[in-house]
Amino acid sequence: FKDQYVWRTVKQTLPRILGLTSDYIGNIFQVILALRLVVGSLTAFRLAISLRDLAMSMFGLSVAQAIFPKMTEMVAKNDMVGFQKLFSQAIRTVLLWTIPVTGIFIVLRTPITQLLFGLFSKSGDFTDTNMVSYALLFLSLGIIFYSILGIVTRAYFSLEDSMTPTLVSVFTIFFEVAITYTLVNLFSHFDDSLSLSPTYFISNIDNYFINGNSTAAIGGIALASTISIFLNLSILIALLKKKGSNFFY
């Protein structure tokens, strides 16, 4: 630990380990809640997560991984102008791809899930399809946020600041745990048609604390996940702007 490079590596690694641990804790909590819901909820949620992650990997996270070495190189050369331009261009590129992909997933979520169940499921029961489609609706809203988050997080890592993303991640995980429980309870009282009414969130306060038995409950976990990602991204962007006013051209 007397070597400065070893110490720098340890300082950057330990916060990332803590961040990954907090993510796993959040995932475990989601699994526990899904197991409390109607049969098939956990499987439906995992399939919806897989579909969302597929879109993010293809059109969002791939860009973040590609530019990370270049961002690190620019920081090492103290080329902050180039770093900021590259960061801004990456954000615009991700938006160019993820906005239409998000729209496609939202509009065609039911045909996509029905196609998958038609190919790989022998039960012929479309109840599971509805649950996957409903979860995918709310998870799809997070494709844009999650993809941009990958770029913003790597910008912090390039600046040798892994502590800030970790602390923000831990905070948002605790926030997600709190809202997941309440949203699952609320969504579990929706009727079988899976209809949504904006006034429902205000006029049925008691349902936030009482668990029902609707298949729509899986949407509460999905929506909480998307809200948490948006909060995480918003905080990191706000803090990043303090590091330099020209990060967003």
Side-chain angles (χ1 to χ4, degrees), residues 10-24:
V10 172
K11 286 178 62 179
Q12 295 300 314
T13 302
L14 289 180
R16 299 189 191 187
I17 295 175
L18 177 60
L20 290 174
T21 302
S22 65
D23 289 340
Y24 279 117

Side-chain angles (χ1 to χ4, degrees), residues 200-211:
Y200 183 88
F201 291 89
I202 302 175
S203 60
N204 295 273
I205 302 299
D206 293 341
N207 289 343
Y208 283 96
F209 309 100
I210 303 173
N211 190 31

Side-chain angles (χ1 to χ4, degrees), residues 6-16 160 162-163:
V6 173
W7 179 240
R8 285 176 60 186
T9 302
V10 172
K11 286 178 62 179
Q12 295 300 314
T13 302
L14 289 180
R16 299 189 191 187
E160 297 190 359
S162 59
M163 182 59 71

Side-chain angles (χ1 to χ4, degrees), residues 147-160:
S147 299
I148 296 177
L149 180 63
I151 298 175
V152 174
T153 302
R154 283 164 177 79
Y156 276 95
F157 292 161
S158 299
L159 296 170
E160 297 190 359

Side-chain angles (χ1 to χ4, degrees), residues 18-34:
L18 177 60
L20 290 174
T21 302
S22 65
D23 289 340
Y24 279 117
I25 293 175
N27 292 336
I28 291 173
F29 182 77
Q30 289 178 338
V31 170
I32 293 174
L33 275 184

